[in-house]
Amino acid sequence: MSYLLRRLWQMVPTLAGVVLGVFFLFKGFGGDPAEILAGLNASPEQVEQIRDQLGLNRPVWEQLAIFVGQILQFDWGRSWATNEPVAQLFATRLPATLTVMTPILVLDALLAIPFALAVAAVRGSLTDRAIMVVTTVALSISFLVYVIVGQWLFAFQLGWFPVQGWTDSVWTNLTTYAPLPVLLAVMVGISPQMRLYRSFFLDEIGQDYVRTARAKGLGERAVLMKHVLRNALIPILTNVSMQLPGIFVGSFLIEVFFSIPGIGREVMLAVNRSDYPVIQAVTIYLAVITMVINLLTDLLYKAVDPRVTLK
């Protein structure tokens, strides 16, 4: 509990640094929001009126206080492009992102971990070398190629999935529209994950405790499952935790190519439109999620390996 309280307290200055960084970066390098909103044909009087409405003529410290107050109240204002409340925009786009990204992360882990362990167990064999060659080739292919070929093969030629589409029904989305982007994303992601996890397992297989377990007559399956896998879980957890924030932000390419109305697509549109309230909200939102996930991962280390000491 003391460790948890200390970590929560440490998040405060970290988040404060993120808030200050976001505020002054947009203030110094983001251009004049009033001119962006007014458009190219606006008169100076119209630009000045918008600047007054946004509070840009107030002192910097007062603008910062308003920005911090909005964060504390979870009130990010309205999107400049659609006039939709940013909080409502996130709430309506998040389900689509979770529908696609959660299966991708789960399938990546469930497929990559056992395959990597099986390949590590036969290190140096023909099977190992063949799989490493295949994964290297797969890593060399652009994600865009996977998308184009996947849409052509699975949607146009075989007719298994629709190319694009989305509905308000979670079940319809999961069974009809999400499978193709999920399949392609897993095909892209499994190769690097498998190579990485294989290296983790090989590091553990070379340890003295593994040789001792084998010398005592323990079966190879028991050695791999009870010793190698368990001791390799910490770096695996670290890698998975680095991917977890992506569940809540989405994949820009997947959502744009498949017209999925998720947060990733919305962020891409916000960047193209210079929609600063949305971009600022996403930045703060992602920072908070990342800090929370890092804290939960550190606590999981202790559950996975009792030798870990939380200080």
Side-chain angles (χ1 to χ4, degrees):
M1 183 57 67
S2 62
Y3 172 80
L4 179 61
L5 293 175
R6 283 198 304 273
R7 285 293 302 273
L8 290 174
W9 174 249
Q10 290 169 4
M11 287 183 182
V12 176
T14 304
L15 184 58
V18 172
V19 170
L20 290 173
V22 169
F23 178 80
F24 286 109
L25 278 174
F26 278 90
K27 190 72 178 172
F29 304 102
D32 189 348
E35 293 182 356
I36 295 173
L37 284 174
L40 297 175
N41 300 321
S43 65
E45 292 77 14
Q46 290 174 321
V47 174
E48 192 63 27
Q49 183 181 1
I50 293 175
R51 192 174 284 116
D52 286 334
Q53 291 174 351
L54 296 177
L56 298 176
N57 289 329
R58 299 181 183 181
V60 174
W61 65 266
E62 191 173 340
Q63 295 181 45
L64 177 60
I66 293 172
F67 182 53
V68 173
Q70 289 177 331
I71 294 173
L72 294 177
Q73 297 171 20
F74 300 99
D75 177 15
W76 305 99
R78 290 180 174 272
S79 165
W80 292 352
T82 63
N83 202 36
E84 183 181 359
V86 176
Q88 179 182 336
L89 186 148
F90 280 1
T92 55
R93 306 302 192 273
L94 183 59
T97 294
L98 292 177
T99 302
V100 175
M101 296 307 297
T102 303
I104 291 174
L105 182 69
V106 172
L107 289 174
D108 261 348
L110 290 180
L111 294 175
I113 292 175
F115 284 155
L117 184 59
V119 171
V122 293
R123 178 186 182 182
S125 67
L126 181 60
T127 301
D128 178 36
R129 294 174 184 175
I131 290 177
M132 288 302 100
V133 169
V134 171
T135 55
T136 302
V137 172
L139 280 168
S140 305
I141 301 173
S142 169
F143 179 66
L144 296 179
V145 175
Y146 281 96
V147 171
I148 294 170
V149 174
Q151 288 182 332
W152 174 80
L153 177 62
F154 296 116
F156 289 111
Q157 294 297 317
L158 299 177
W160 291 353
F161 311 105
V163 177
Q164 295 177 339
W166 205 255
T167 69
D168 294 331
S169 170
V170 176
W171 179 251
T172 301
N173 293 331
L174 274 173
T175 57
T176 304
Y177 298 111
L180 182 56
V182 169
L183 173 64
L184 297 178
V186 170
M187 290 172 63
V188 172
I190 194 171
S191 293
Q193 301 300 327
M194 194 169 152
R195 292 177 67 91
L196 181 63
Y197 296 158
R198 173 181 174 272
S199 68
F200 294 158
F201 292 135
L202 288 178
D203 286 342
E204 295 300 327
I205 288 175
Q207 298 295 322
D208 291 338
Y209 72 87
V210 174
R211 287 191 289 268
T212 302
R214 286 171 175 164
K216 290 182 176 179
L218 200 62
E220 190 66 18
R221 182 184 179 87
V223 169
L224 292 175
M225 299 302 295
K226 293 183 179 180
H227 295 280
V228 175
L229 177 59
R230 185 170 183 180
N231 283 279
L233 278 180
I234 286 184
I236 290 174
L237 278 175
T238 303
N239 183 64
V240 172
S241 69
M242 293 171 62
Q243 301 175 52
L244 276 174
I247 287 184
F248 301 93
V249 180
S251 169
F252 306 136
L253 289 176
I254 289 176
E255 294 183 5
V256 168
F257 275 103
F258 291 93
S259 297
I260 297 171
I263 292 180
R265 181 167 175 264
E266 200 62 42
V267 171
M268 185 71 76
L269 293 174
V271 171
N272 292 333
R273 298 166 176 168
S274 298
D275 197 344
Y276 290 166
V278 175
I279 300 172
Q280 288 177 331
V282 167
T283 307
I284 304 296
Y285 156 78
L286 182 59
V288 172
I289 288 176
T290 302
M291 288 189 291
V292 171
I293 288 174
N294 287 342
L295 173 58
L296 295 176
T297 302
D298 288 344
L299 295 175
L300 279 174
Y301 288 161
K302 180 69 175 176
V304 170
D305 189 347
R307 297 171 297 178
V308 174
T309 302
L310 301 177
K311 295 182 179 180

